[in-house]
Structure formats: structure tokens, C-alpha cells
């Protein structure tokens, strides 16, 4: 699977399923995506190949001229994303992962309205054929008021969405502070901050680091709420080691120097992709850990739901109206029971 082959096959398709890769809603997505957005679905990359999904997204966008290209890796369990955009690629990636959808197409559909602002159609209020001719100052005032109302509603909706997102981020940050205590917890907290800074310095990493920091933060918050103090301490120790190694790989002496001085390194592209794959591996580990936390509570919910389903299935109308229309009752006799009010 090479970048050139993907670009050649997919550059002219708004939703491209490459080499047998699948999403659950390809046909629906084709008709609902904004015109400036393109989706490319590829099989899970071979870890031995030096093919970066982020590079694929950038190459396809350069060829197609779209505003935003989203690459979905068709993976078992949960799909993954790479984003190239004239807008905020990191935020788009974060929004995609925050949907919690196993199927990448469903995640894209959930945020499709946020990807490209809807363009206002041309003003057809003149006296052209088939148009509505409005005359007089009253008509102009009414139209202006209506347009102002529409614009205000759109702005309010957009503002509300941004505020909600910021509030959610602040809430997660506050919960994370409670979950990260002690020496190891402080190291993990600092590592998350450093990774967020690195994401701004290395735009070629796309949404990888924002997704990683979000998932690691979510993991610690959930373990703090649902687990034990011992589990939190063990998790802090493990991620202190993992994030420490990742920060060294992303530091100025390795990843930074390879990007700035590729001529001094053998196979610089392969080395950069190796670091990107390491980021994706740590990110996937965090997601898997979150699922393990969720599944530890799954049994109590399943017992309750099974009991509820069984009680609903076995319930009979006669259990509620035991004295109405029994097999021995006379047809047409629908008098209320003796205990009914008024009798």
C-alpha cells in the first residue's frame, strides 16, 4: 500500500474505499459530506511499511484541492484517523475521537456539520425570472430583519458549540488534576502538557498527539472514579515510563533534528514514521485501557439489564388487568371492575 497508489485511486472521489477497506455508512456519507471535505478509507497500515496515514491525508488533499481530507484506518475494534486541513486539523481529529465510535464513518457523520461552514446561497431576491419581486421600503425592512435573524441564530449556534467544547475540556482538566497526585502523577501531568506543546511545534503529526493526550487524560479520570488508589498508582508508574520514552523520541535531539536536518540521518523518513507509529501504539494502548475500565463495570449493568429485559418479556397484560376480559368473560362485557372509582 503506497501513498501514490492511494492518491491515484482516491483523489477524485469524495468518499473512497481503498483496497477493500470499509465503513458502515459509505453511501450515506457520500450524500451528506460538505463539498470541501473528502474521506479516504484505507486498510490498517502494516507496521513494517513506512506509510503514514497523515502523509496520505496531506498528499490526497494536495492533489484534490479539498479543504479537509480525513483518512480512516479500517482497524479491528476501533477505526483510527488522520486529518489534513486548511483549518484546525488537530481539533477535527480530537472531535472525531471524542465521538467514541468504533466505525470511523459514523464518527465523521457525527461532526460533518462542523467541518466546513455552510455557504449561504446567492441572493435571488431580485426581479429575475421565477423570482419574487418585493417592492417598497417595508419589504426591504422585512427581508433585512429576516436575514439578520438567520445570521444571529447561526452565530449563536456556533458560539454555543465552541463554549460547550471548552467547558468539556476544562472539566476534564479539573478531573485530571484530582487523578494525578504524587511524584509519578506530577510527572504524567507534566508529560501531557509537554506533548500538547510539541503538537503545536510539529504540525506534521496532525491530530495524533492531541488524540493521545485526550485519551490518556480520559483514562486516568475514569480509573480515579471507578478504580482503587492502588490501580491509580500502578497506572501512574506505567505511564510515567511510557510517556517519558515518548518524550525523548520526540525531543530536539531525535525527532526534531531529523525533521530539521534529514541529510544527517540514514532513512530519515522511516525514522519519523517509526516515531509516529510509536505515538499511535501508545494511543491505542490508552483506548484499550479505557475499554478495560469500562468492562470492569459491565457485569453489574448486564445483570441489571438482563433482569429488566426478562421481567418485561415475561410480563402479561393479565398481570396488570387481572380481572378484565378473562377467557370466561362474556363477549362485549367491558364493565369496569367493582373496585373502580364511582362503583
Amino acid at each position: 500500500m503506497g501513498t501514490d497508489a492511494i492518491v491515484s485511486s482516491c483523489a477524485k472521489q469524495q468518499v473512497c474505499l481503498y483496497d477493500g477497506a470499509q465503513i458502515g455508512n459509505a453511501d450515506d456519507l457520500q450524500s451528506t459530506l460538505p463539498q470541501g471535505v473528502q474521506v479516504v478509507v484505507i486498510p490498517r497500515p502494516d507496521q513494517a511499511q513506512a506509510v503514514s496515514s497523515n502523509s496520505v491525508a496531506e498528499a490526497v488533499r494536495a492533489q484534490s484541492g479539498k479543504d479537509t481530507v480525513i483518512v480512516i484506518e479500517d482497524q479491528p475494534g476501533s477505526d483510527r484517523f488522520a486529518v489534513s486541513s486548511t483549518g484546525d486539523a488537530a481539533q477535527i481529529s480530537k472531535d472525531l475521537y471524542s465521538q467514541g465510535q468504533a466505525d470511523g464513518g459514523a464518527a465523521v457523520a457525527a461532526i460533518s456539520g462542523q467541518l466546513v461552514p455552510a455557504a449561504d446561497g446567492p441572493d435571488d431576491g431580485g426581479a429575475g425570472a421565477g423570482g419574487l419581486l418585493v417592492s417598497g421600503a417595508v419589504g426591504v425592512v422585512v427581508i433585512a430583519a429576516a436575514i439578520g435573524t438567520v445570521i444571529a441564530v447561526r452565530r449563536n449556534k456556533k458560539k454555543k458549540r465552541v463554549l460547550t467544547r471548552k467547558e468539556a475540556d476544562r472539566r476534564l482538566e479539573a478531573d485530571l488534576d484530582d487523578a494525578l497526585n504524587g511524584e509519578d502523577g506530577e510527572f504524567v501531568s507534566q508529560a501531557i502538557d509537554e506533548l500538547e506543546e510539541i503538537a503545536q511545534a510539529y504540525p506534521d503529526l496532525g491530530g495524533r498527539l492531541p488524540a493521545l493526550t485526550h485519551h490518556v487524560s480520559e483514562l486516568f479520570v475514569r480509573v480515579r472514579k471507578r478504580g482503587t488508589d492502588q490501580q491509580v498508582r500502578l497506572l501512574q508508574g506505567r505511564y510515567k515510563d511510557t510517556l517519558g520514552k515518548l518524550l525523548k523520541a520526540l525531543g530536539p535531539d531525535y525527532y526534531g533534528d531529523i525533521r530539521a536536518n534529514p541529510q544527517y540521518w540514514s532513512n530519515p523518513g522511516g525514522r519519523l514514521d517509526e516515531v509516529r507509529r510509536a505515538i499511535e501504539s501508545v494511543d491505542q494502548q490508552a483506548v484499550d485501557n479505557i475499554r478495560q475500565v469500562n468492562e470492569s463495570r459491565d457485569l453489574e449493568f448486564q445483570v441489571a439489564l438482563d433482569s429488566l429485559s426478562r421481567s418485561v418479556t415475561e410480563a402479561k397484560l393479565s398481570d396488570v388487568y387481572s380481572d378484565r376480559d378473562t377467557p370466561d368473560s362474556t363477549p362485549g362485557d367491558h364493565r369496569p371492575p367493582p373496585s373502580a372509582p364511582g362503583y
Side-chain angles (χ1 to χ4, degrees):
M1 181 175 68
T3 301
D4 292 342
I6 298 174
V7 172
S8 177
S9 297
C10 297
K12 296 182 179 180
Q13 301 181 50
Q14 190 169 20
V15 177
C16 177
L17 306 178
Y18 181 76
D19 196 21
Q22 295 290 328
I23 52 176
N25 60 343
D27 292 338
D28 293 337
L29 207 56
Q30 181 77 39
S31 61
T32 59
L33 275 180
Q35 289 300 311
V37 180
Q38 184 174 6
V39 171
V40 177
V41 188
I42 63 174
R44 180 180 185 179
D46 187 340
Q47 294 299 307
Q49 294 176 337
V51 177
S52 163
S53 297
N54 194 65
S55 300
V56 171
E58 293 173 353
V60 172
R61 188 168 70 84
Q63 182 67 25
S64 67
K66 297 292 186 179
D67 296 317
T68 298
V69 172
I70 299 173
V71 172
I72 301 175
E73 295 179 8
D74 183 9
Q75 301 225 22
S78 183
D79 294 344
R80 298 182 61 76
F81 307 97
V83 180
S84 177
S85 178
T86 56
D88 191 342
Q91 185 61 59
I92 293 172
S93 179
K94 183 176 179 180
D95 290 343
L96 287 167
Y97 281 111
S98 68
Q99 300 307 309
Q101 297 280 356
D103 183 83
V108 173
I111 70 164
S112 61
Q114 305 173 28
L115 295 175
V116 175
D120 291 332
D123 185 3
D124 196 24
L132 176 63
L133 179 62
V134 180
S135 61
V138 174
V140 174
V141 171
V142 171
I143 290 177
I147 292 174
T149 301
V150 171
I151 293 174
V153 169
R154 287 181 177 173
R155 287 177 176 172
N156 288 338
K157 286 184 177 179
K158 183 176 181 181
K159 183 177 181 181
K160 182 177 181 181
R161 182 172 65 249
V162 172
L163 288 175
T164 301
R165 181 183 299 153
K166 288 182 178 179
E167 288 172 356
D169 290 342
R170 285 197 296 267
R171 187 177 301 112
L172 179 62
E173 184 176 349
D175 290 340
L176 185 62
D177 288 340
D178 293 336
L180 296 177
N181 49 42
E183 182 179 348
D184 289 349
E186 183 177 351
F187 180 92
V188 172
S189 180
Q190 292 175 352
I192 291 174
D193 291 341
E194 289 184 40
L195 289 172
E196 291 176 346
E197 293 176 2
I198 290 173
Q200 299 298 321
Y202 298 154
D204 58 302
L205 292 176
R208 287 181 174 85
L209 287 178
L212 168 63
T213 56
H214 178 78
H215 292 150
V216 171
S217 300
E218 188 74 38
L219 170 62
F220 276 97
V221 169
R222 287 175 180 248
V223 171
R224 178 65 178 175
K225 290 180 178 179
R226 303 177 182 180
T228 64
D229 290 340
Q230 183 181 13
Q231 289 173 326
V232 173
R233 288 195 297 271
L234 290 173
L235 196 66
Q236 288 174 350
R238 186 170 72 177
Y239 273 88
K240 176 183 178 180
D241 178 66
T242 299
L243 297 181
K245 292 177 180 177
L246 192 59
L247 283 172
K248 288 182 180 178
L250 286 166
D253 293 336
Y254 192 67
Y255 193 86
D257 193 48
I258 296 172
R259 289 181 73 250
N261 304 294
Q263 69 275 16
Y264 298 145
W265 295 83
S266 60
N267 189 22
R271 292 176 183 273
L272 293 177
D273 280 330
E274 185 178 30
V275 176
R276 293 170 186 142
R277 289 196 296 270
I279 295 172
E280 293 171 356
S281 296
V282 176
D283 185 27
Q284 186 60 54
Q285 181 190 55
V287 173
D288 290 341
N289 289 156
I290 291 174
R291 289 176 180 156
Q292 291 169 4
V293 173
N294 291 338
E295 288 166 3
S296 67
R297 298 192 66 200
D298 184 55
L299 180 60
E300 64 179 272
F301 286 109
Q302 287 302 317
V303 170
L305 291 174
D306 288 345
S307 176
L308 177 61
S309 299
R310 187 166 54 253
S311 64
V312 171
T313 302
E314 294 175 353
K316 302 176 183 178
L317 189 60
S318 59
D319 294 335
V320 183
Y321 301 107
S322 58
D323 48 1
R324 288 192 183 186
D325 294 339
T326 60
D328 296 334
S329 63
T330 303
D333 184 6
H334 299 289
R335 291 173 296 175
S339 59
Y343 285 85

